[in-house]
Amino acid sequence: MSCRRSPGGRPAARRFTAVCLAAVAASGIARAHQAQPPQPDPAREHRLAWFRAAKYGLFIHWGLYAIPAGEWHGRRCPGLGEWLMNRCQVPVREYEQLAARFNPVKFDADAWVQLAQDAGMKYIVITAKHHDGFAMFKSNASSYNVVDATPFKRDVLKELADACARRGMRLGFYYSQSQDWHEPGGAGNTWDFGPDLGPDGRERKDYDGYLRSKAEPQVRELLTRYGPVALIWFDTPRSMTPERGQRFATIVRTLQPSTLIDGRLGTEGDYRSTGDNVVPDAASGLAWETPATINHTWGYRTDDTDWKAPGTILFKLIDIVSKGGNYLLNVGPMADGLIPQASQANLRTAGRWLRVNGEAVYAAGPSPFGEEFGEYSARGALDVRGQKLFLPQTEWRVTAKPGRLYFTFFNEPRAPFAIPAMRNRVTRVYRLADGVDVPFSAGGDGRTTFTLDRPMPDPMATVVVVAYEGSAVRR
Ligand code: H79
């Protein structure tokens, strides 16, 4: 059974959860963390090893849209910054003139990689080409690229790839394979080139011509000119038939067999991608990733300064890790090449916490419990999409390694705090940050309790390690 998602918004993500849970249930495995993909693929699992351990990556959305930054001719273009061309229906001939103004003299690839490292992130994914069709790398397939079409003339991806190689950071490329608003054959530009599909539902653009002349050659360039590519992050697979998707998969597998394919190619990738900013309600043993914004846009907008606080970032990261996933958190650099200072500061604050408490995150597996995630409304209430309403709990999360459970508290736990019932004997309880023992006692009902000092040592998030006999929790 497959458990693929559809790209984009929340309804798809909810299906992802439901379908994945159905897959887990159908295979007779009650706890998602024990689940294996129905068709175990050793080559895929081998490719995925670093990804499963990494847990936390930096997404970077950077392109021509950083110049208008949400405004076109003095008019606000609501929505996502990188969608400006579409939302304001900017003709290709006008939009492409932004290239002549792209000169980010403060761009410093090493500083970006340093930010990711300070933040505790283990991989970077940058937009090589977004839906607007502009390539942030030197391309022979299209002169609409950062080297040939701008006064800047520097290959942004090359500089970033070199900085990543110097600093031991994995680098992947976002590539919009289907939408390309610059090309008559690409999907999505209805204002210059008319609808993608006719009234009969049939394609009315030379989509395969676009794929073969631009998208496929550019993906080949990405895989041959920038050293090892950690992953290719495809997106919004409109009109991406299995056959067309397979052409991209073959290019990736042939040129770099270790490169991961995300969950939005249109054919099966190496891991599942949730909807944008969507965190599933339950754990899964299948590799997955939530792409997320640090404010509300991916590409820079001057009017969006609603940055997620460090504590919020940490909750989301640990929530995701406790469900078996990865957190790919985005920043949107400005037109001058700098990443907004406030977003950097919040990432670094979370990163300082991770330097102390990273053992609970990196290479950690999901919760063996699940009760802590919350529960469906017992009154049968429905959410805005008409699905059963899930009422999340956010008090604590647990991540796991063999013989160890990491309880991360985001609020003061009750004293004593009762560990969910498990058969294994608890041997030691201690605070991760300073190793200080936490008194505990075994209850008669199989529930061990411990008492954490008040106020808890780190009000943002305090980790308590529970060491137990055996390597896996038995319930
Ligand atoms: O790259 C980021 C987004 O630009 C991209 N995926 C993430 C990682 C993405 N492409 N499509 N979508 C997300 C779904 C887009 C939905 C919307 Fe819209 C864009 C809502 C508002 C603007 C489509 C166009 C629906 C209304 C206008």
Side-chain angles (χ1 to χ4, degrees):
M1 178 177 304
S2 81
C3 144
R4 257 183 288 145
R5 58 169 303 288
S6 311
R10 292 175 148 267
R14 184 61 69 142
R15 273 199 305 282
F16 157 73
T17 306
V19 176
C20 282
L21 289 177
V24 168
S27 63
I29 299 164
R31 296 286 165 212
H33 74 286
Q34 295 162 344
Q36 291 296 316
Q39 234 90 62
D41 178 345
R44 170 171 296 157
E45 279 311 308
H46 186 72
R47 280 198 292 278
L48 278 168
W50 73 265
F51 180 85
R52 284 183 179 275
K55 294 296 161 200
Y56 191 24
L58 180 66
F59 214 170
I60 301 175
H61 274 66
W62 202 35
L64 297 181
Y65 40 79
I67 299 171
E71 219 181 90
W72 194 251
H73 292 322
R75 191 160 69 89
R76 249 168 53 96
C77 254
L80 306 171
E82 73 282 4
W83 272 74
L84 174 135
M85 182 181 178
N86 177 300
R87 291 303 299 269
C88 276
Q89 310 269 286
V90 183
V92 168
R93 294 303 157 228
E94 259 185 70
Y95 187 87
E96 65 186 5
Q97 286 168 29
L98 287 170
R101 292 166 52 199
F102 190 78
N103 194 21
V105 292
K106 295 182 180 159
F107 169 62
D108 176 350
D110 281 285
W112 288 12
V113 181
Q114 185 67 56
L115 169 66
Q117 286 176 325
D118 291 348
M121 290 156 154
K122 303 296 188 188
Y123 60 111
I124 294 177
V125 181
I126 185 169
T127 46
K129 187 202 82 170
H130 205 268
H131 307 333
D132 67 0
F134 183 75
M136 296 296 283
F137 59 102
K138 162 73 185 169
S139 172
N140 296 344
S142 163
S143 60
Y144 193 45
N145 72 69
V146 67
V147 173
D148 295 323
T150 76
F152 192 52
K153 290 187 170 43
R154 282 159 55 185
D155 187 330
V156 166
L157 296 201
K158 183 76 173 78
E159 292 186 23
L160 193 60
D162 291 347
C164 285
R166 279 194 293 276
R167 291 160 176 268
M169 174 67 68
R170 290 178 197 270
L171 178 64
F173 298 129
Y174 173 106
Y175 191 89
S176 176
Q177 79 278 27
S178 184
Q179 293 196 64
D180 190 316
W181 305 331
H182 188 257
E183 309 301 328
N189 184 339
T190 53
W191 56 101
D192 284 300
F193 308 124
D196 296 348
L197 306 176
D200 54 0
R202 289 168 55 147
E203 290 172 15
R204 49 173 297 287
K205 293 179 178 173
D206 183 13
Y207 185 58
D208 276 306
Y210 149 74
L211 291 176
R212 293 200 187 276
S213 66
K214 182 172 179 183
E216 292 171 27
Q218 288 197 330
V219 170
R220 269 190 216 100
E221 291 173 337
L222 292 173
L223 289 158
T224 49
R225 299 180 175 178
Y226 299 92
V229 176
L231 58 87
I232 303 278
W233 217 98
F234 296 105
D235 201 5
T236 63
R238 295 188 189 174
S239 300
M240 229 344 96
T241 59
E243 192 273 332
R244 287 163 171 162
Q246 190 53 49
R247 296 212 297 265
F248 285 102
T250 302
I251 290 169
V252 177
R253 297 288 181 247
T254 306
L255 295 174
Q256 291 205 30
S258 300
T259 298
L260 298 177
I261 297 173
D262 76 328
R264 299 185 181 190
L265 172 55
T267 56
E268 204 184 349
D270 288 306
Y271 64 86
R272 272 135 287 267
S273 307
T274 68
D276 297 348
N277 282 307
V278 174
V279 179
D281 298 329
S284 165
L286 307 169
W288 62 270
E289 177 184 65
T290 291
T293 53
I294 195 165
N295 43 356
H296 300 277
T297 179
W298 306 84
Y300 177 68
R301 290 185 64 104
T302 52
D303 61 359
D304 185 353
T305 56
D306 187 21
W307 313 110
K308 288 181 181 64
T312 305
I313 293 169
L314 287 173
F315 174 77
K316 286 177 183 292
L317 172 62
I318 293 158
D319 184 30
I320 287 167
V321 174
S322 78
K323 293 166 179 171
N326 281 21
Y327 189 29
L328 182 60
L329 180 56
N330 181 76
V331 294
M334 300 179 287
D336 63 1
L338 296 180
I339 294 168
Q341 207 43 246
S343 60
Q344 291 199 44
N346 291 6
L347 290 176
R348 286 199 167 91
T349 301
R352 279 190 291 277
W353 186 93
L354 282 165
R355 263 197 292 290
V356 175
N357 297 285
E359 188 187 321
V361 171
Y362 307 116
S367 168
F369 307 120
E371 302 94 292
E372 70 275 23
F373 299 145
E375 61 193 341
Y376 287 99
S377 162
R379 292 172 37 240
L382 303 179
D383 65 19
V384 287
R385 295 173 298 279
Q387 317 246 348
K388 274 173 76 180
L389 178 67
F390 191 77
L391 304 167
Q393 289 279 359
T394 57
E395 300 289 308
W396 58 274
R397 288 292 182 265
V398 61
T399 51
K401 288 184 180 173
R404 295 262 185 297
L405 294 172
Y406 301 89
F407 286 82
T408 303
F409 294 98
F410 302 96
N411 291 106
E412 299 273 353
R414 329 165 36 134
F417 172 83
I419 298 172
M422 54 190 260
R423 293 179 200 275
N424 314 58
R425 196 173 70 84
V426 170
T427 54
R428 194 188 160 208
V429 181
Y430 61 96
R431 308 197 303 220
L432 180 60
D434 54 12
V436 171
D437 273 292
V438 173
F440 70 98
S441 67
D445 54 358
R447 297 193 72 166
T448 299
T449 61
F450 61 74
T451 301
L452 185 62
D453 280 350
R454 291 182 177 226
M456 66 177 190
D458 187 335
M460 193 157 64
T462 294
V463 182
V464 174
V465 186
V466 171
Y468 61 86
E469 280 183 353
S471 61
V473 166
R474 288 177 295 112
R475 303 210 68 194

